[in-house]
Amino acid sequence: MQRVKRRLSAIMCADVAQYSKLMERDEDGTLDRLRAYRDVMSSLTDRHNGRIVNTWGDAVIIEFASVIEAVQCAVEIQNELSLRNADLPEMNRMDFRIGINLGDIMVEGDDIYGDGVNVAARLQELAPRGGIMLSQSVYDQVKAKVALGFEPLGPQAVKNVSEPVETYSVRLGGRNAPAAIADDPEKNEQEEASTSAHPEWDKDTRAVANGFEQARRWLRVQPRRVRTCVVLIGFFFVLNLLTSGLSTLWFVWPSLPFAFLLVWHFIVGRRNGAVEESPPQGK
């Protein structure tokens, strides 16, 4: 009897959130988009020395020799697909959920099996739309080696795995600053003293940061023409500040055409959305 081959690998599992609803709404368009998005995933997988093991339906399994390459590839996939989705109506956007696990796998030809694969598949099911979920084994390997932030989500009970799996979500969309590491007590005490001495400053700073984050998220999901108009208006405003300060607000005049385009886009878009949502009337 031939002995089963084994190896330690990083396994990425990905599938499309609400794929059945997308197919029900537009089969041809959804299938074309799935093919295009898979081409993106295949290209990024090759760049990070991964191997697509299997695809069925809307799911993809990818094997990496390096867990760092697996995580970096997943982040690039989600960022690239997010940009492509931004130019689509909300109802047609295709979001992938990704789970990554580092574990021992069994190898038979080009296929892989075992708990290492199973855990990655269950992590994918726990991931949010457009998100990435990691196991403890992956987190331990990448936490100090990649410029990413992580959210610990605690142990999660998953199907066909006897013990709960410790899970971590990767911060995406501009929230990738690594979390502060509490390894310098003196520095932490100084920061806490500064915060407690000026609590109103900390509150205002958080409010401003939150406002910028909300604006950035809103802008990211807008069509390209909307983002272009907003950037140009912002450019004229900054140029106004640098040349004249706030004494003369001349930036309004060169910004008018772009402001008009924004207003027109939202008025027409709202009307079109209302028409699409209204059910057809029977005769």
Side-chain angles (χ1 to χ4, degrees):
M1 182 176 180
Q2 187 176 5
R3 186 176 181 180
V4 176
K5 294 181 180 179
R6 290 182 175 271
R7 60 173 173 250
L8 185 67
S9 296
I11 306 300
M12 177 197 300
C13 289
D15 82 344
V16 179
Q18 298 183 338
Y19 180 70
S20 298
K21 289 185 178 180
L22 292 172
M23 288 294 287
E24 181 180 7
R25 185 179 298 117
D26 179 11
E27 286 186 347
D28 292 337
T30 297
L31 187 57
D32 289 342
R33 194 164 298 113
L34 178 62
R35 289 170 178 162
Y37 284 17
R38 276 184 174 168
D39 287 342
V40 172
M41 298 173 74
S42 177
S43 175
L44 291 173
T45 296
D46 290 341
R47 185 185 304 175
H48 289 275
N49 301 313
R51 178 180 73 94
I52 295 180
V53 177
N54 209 336
T55 61
W56 67 90
D58 60 314
V60 181
I61 295 181
I62 307 174
E63 180 188 6
F64 296 85
S66 165
V67 67
I68 294 176
E69 294 282 5
V71 173
Q72 290 176 335
C73 182
V75 171
E76 291 182 18
I77 286 173
Q78 294 294 36
N79 287 339
E80 175 63 25
L81 298 188
S82 176
L83 292 176
R84 291 177 176 243
N85 279 331
D87 292 328
L88 297 174
E90 180 71 29
M91 64 176 62
N92 292 334
R93 291 174 185 173
M94 181 175 288
D95 295 308
F96 277 79
R97 299 174 300 188
I98 294 179
I100 305 177
N101 180 46
L102 174 65
D104 189 75
I105 61 172
M106 297 183 293
V107 183
E108 185 176 73
D110 292 331
D111 292 328
I112 56 178
Y113 307 92
D115 283 344
V117 181
N118 184 43
V119 171
R122 301 310 173 193
L123 289 170
Q124 164 261 305
E125 294 173 356
L126 295 174
R129 293 182 59 167
I132 303 170
M133 193 73 70
L134 311 180
S135 66
Q136 180 75 55
S137 57
V138 173
Y139 173 75
D140 288 341
Q141 292 294 318
V142 304
K143 61 183 178 182
K145 299 178 182 178
V146 294
L148 295 172
F150 305 94
E151 297 287 350
L153 301 180
Q156 304 286 334
V158 298
K159 186 178 179 182
N160 297 331
V161 178
S162 57
E163 297 293 330
V165 178
E166 289 286 344
T167 56
Y168 297 82
S169 178
V170 178
R171 296 189 192 132
L172 295 172
R175 301 181 301 117
N176 282 334
I181 302 176
D183 57 358
D184 189 343
E186 183 178 350
K187 182 178 180 181
N188 291 341
E189 288 177 3
Q190 293 175 353
E191 291 177 350
E192 290 176 2
S194 175
T195 300
S196 59
H198 303 284
E200 67 282 359
W201 294 0
D202 185 59
K203 181 178 180 180
D204 292 342
T205 301
R206 288 199 304 268
V208 171
N210 183 63
F212 275 113
E213 175 65 14
Q214 294 296 326
R216 189 203 59 77
R217 289 185 183 180
W218 174 85
L219 187 61
R220 186 182 180 88
V221 300
Q222 299 305 312
R224 186 171 302 167
R225 57 182 176 274
V226 172
R227 300 200 300 270
T228 301
C229 289
V230 172
V231 168
L232 288 174
I233 292 173
F235 169 75
F236 289 128
F237 178 72
V238 172
L239 192 60
N240 190 151
L241 289 179
L242 294 176
T243 57
S244 306
L246 294 176
S247 58
T248 304
L249 297 180
W250 57 260
F251 86 96
V252 173
W253 305 113
S255 299
L256 276 179
F258 304 106
F260 175 78
L261 289 175
L262 286 177
V263 172
W264 177 260
H265 168 78
F266 289 115
I267 291 177
V268 173
R270 187 172 299 176
R271 288 178 179 174
N272 290 342
V275 170
E276 290 179 359
E277 292 176 1
S278 59
Q281 302 294 325
K283 294 183 179 180

